[in-house]
Amino acid sequence: GENVEQHPSTLSVQEGDSAVIKCTYSDSASNYFPWYKQELGKRPQLIIDIRSNVGEKKDQRIAVTLNKTAKHFSLHITETQPEDSAVYFCAATLRDSWGKLQFGAGTQVVVTP
Amino acid sequence: DTAVSQTPKYLVTQMGNDKSIKCEQNLGHDTMYWYKQDSKKFLKIMFSYNNKELIINETVPNRFSPKSPDKAHLNLHINSLELGDSAVYFCASSPRHSSYNEQFFGPGTRLTVL
């Protein structure tokens, strides 16, 4: 099955700086890579996703890059703000896996003013 | 206008008891999921149903039994609760069971087994 590793486990950044979270996956048949944000005590919510036929996707201050050869993908947050503080999860799904999401272990991001 | 709702929000119970968590979605989605989030925040899928049919059944103790009376509801029954069952349980739904669909999570049920 798929295995997703996520680094770092915690990330502290100054407001206005950039944050980068990296994930690697094991199965080259994975074809969809979403990122979820979970604020303290709340539900996970999708913030951005990328399909395996795309190398990069951007949505305002967040972007995701995918390197299929190396089997890794990254989340980039620019101009961080205190409301970006949360746990971020990467995930991967295999083709024909009924939408089964394999999550990384999560990254606690703390943005200090 | 809650999209995915769960009840109860908190559940505190003794070891050995049996309890149920209910989930409902009003998004018209075909597929629903149960996830367990442990104390280290790790999210792991347990089950998935598509149109009332079980399609994902991960390695979970058979004390856990999902039930889907219709495609808008997915309940989770847990028998003989153990200390290690303490976690937050999230229900989620998606339009279909294919890879590219966003999953919408419910607010979670925090289960504490004493």
Side-chain angles (χ1 to χ4, degrees):
Chain A
E2 177 61 278
N3 185 44
V4 177
E5 294 196 358
Q6 183 171 348
H7 300 280
S9 55
T10 56
L11 182 57
S12 192
V13 294
Q14 205 74 26
E15 184 177 357
D17 288 350
S18 294
V20 180
I21 303 169
K22 298 184 179 184
C23 290
T24 59
Y25 60 98
S26 59
D27 198 321
S28 55
S30 291
N31 64 347
Y32 175 63
F33 307 91
W35 286 86
Y36 283 78
K37 175 184 180 183
Q38 186 178 24
E39 295 176 7
L40 187 62
K42 300 282 177 70
R43 70 192 79 194
Q45 290 189 287
L46 181 75
I47 54 170
I48 196 167
D49 55 12
I50 192 166
R51 299 187 183 192
S52 58
N53 60 349
V54 175
E56 184 173 356
K57 186 176 175 182
K58 218 172 175 181
D59 183 3
Q60 298 179 15
R61 294 186 298 106
I62 58 172
V64 57
T65 57
L66 171 65
N67 182 328
K68 279 199 308 184
T69 306
K71 290 191 275 190
H72 67 69
F73 56 114
S74 300
L75 178 72
H76 305 252
I77 308 172
T78 57
E79 300 169 30
T80 52
Q81 299 166 5
E83 52 264 38
D84 294 330
S85 296
V87 179
Y88 291 80
F89 293 95
C90 63
T93 52
L94 290 167
R95 195 177 302 121
D96 302 326
S97 68
W98 305 101
K100 176 180 165 182
L101 282 177
Q102 188 71 44
F103 282 95
T107 297
Q108 174 76 63
V109 173
V110 177
V111 181
T112 49
Chain B
D1 249 3
T2 310
V4 183
S5 59
Q6 292 178 231
T7 53
K9 193 165 167 62
Y10 300 97
L11 189 48
V12 181
T13 189
Q14 300 285 336
M15 261 196 318
N17 284 350
D18 303 338
K19 289 292 177 189
S20 291
I21 307 171
K22 296 187 176 195
C23 178
E24 177 180 358
Q25 53 95 2
N26 62 6
L27 297 166
H29 289 170
D30 285 345
T31 309
M32 296 183 73
Y33 308 82
W34 276 113
Y35 286 89
K36 179 181 180 181
Q37 186 170 47
D38 62 23
S39 57
K40 294 183 179 173
K41 301 284 189 189
F42 189 66
L43 265 169
K44 186 161 171 49
I45 189 162
M46 300 172 71
F47 304 103
S48 177
Y49 272 74
N50 184 66
N51 251 323
K52 302 194 295 176
E53 185 185 340
L54 182 67
I55 56 172
I56 296 174
N57 187 0
E58 290 293 284
T59 309
V60 174
N62 57 15
R63 298 181 294 102
F64 289 79
S65 51
K67 270 207 174 69
S68 182
D70 55 60
K71 75 173 195 177
H73 295 85
L74 179 61
N75 304 323
L76 183 66
H77 188 76
I78 316 170
N79 287 327
S80 305
L81 279 155
E82 300 178 357
L83 294 176
D85 298 332
S86 295
V88 179
Y89 292 85
F90 285 100
C91 174
S93 74
S94 67
R96 283 166 299 281
H97 55 69
S98 66
S99 295
Y100 304 132
N101 287 270
E102 176 179 357
Q103 292 187 20
F104 294 80
F105 284 77
T109 295
R110 182 174 292 277
L111 171 65
T112 304
V113 182
L114 304 173

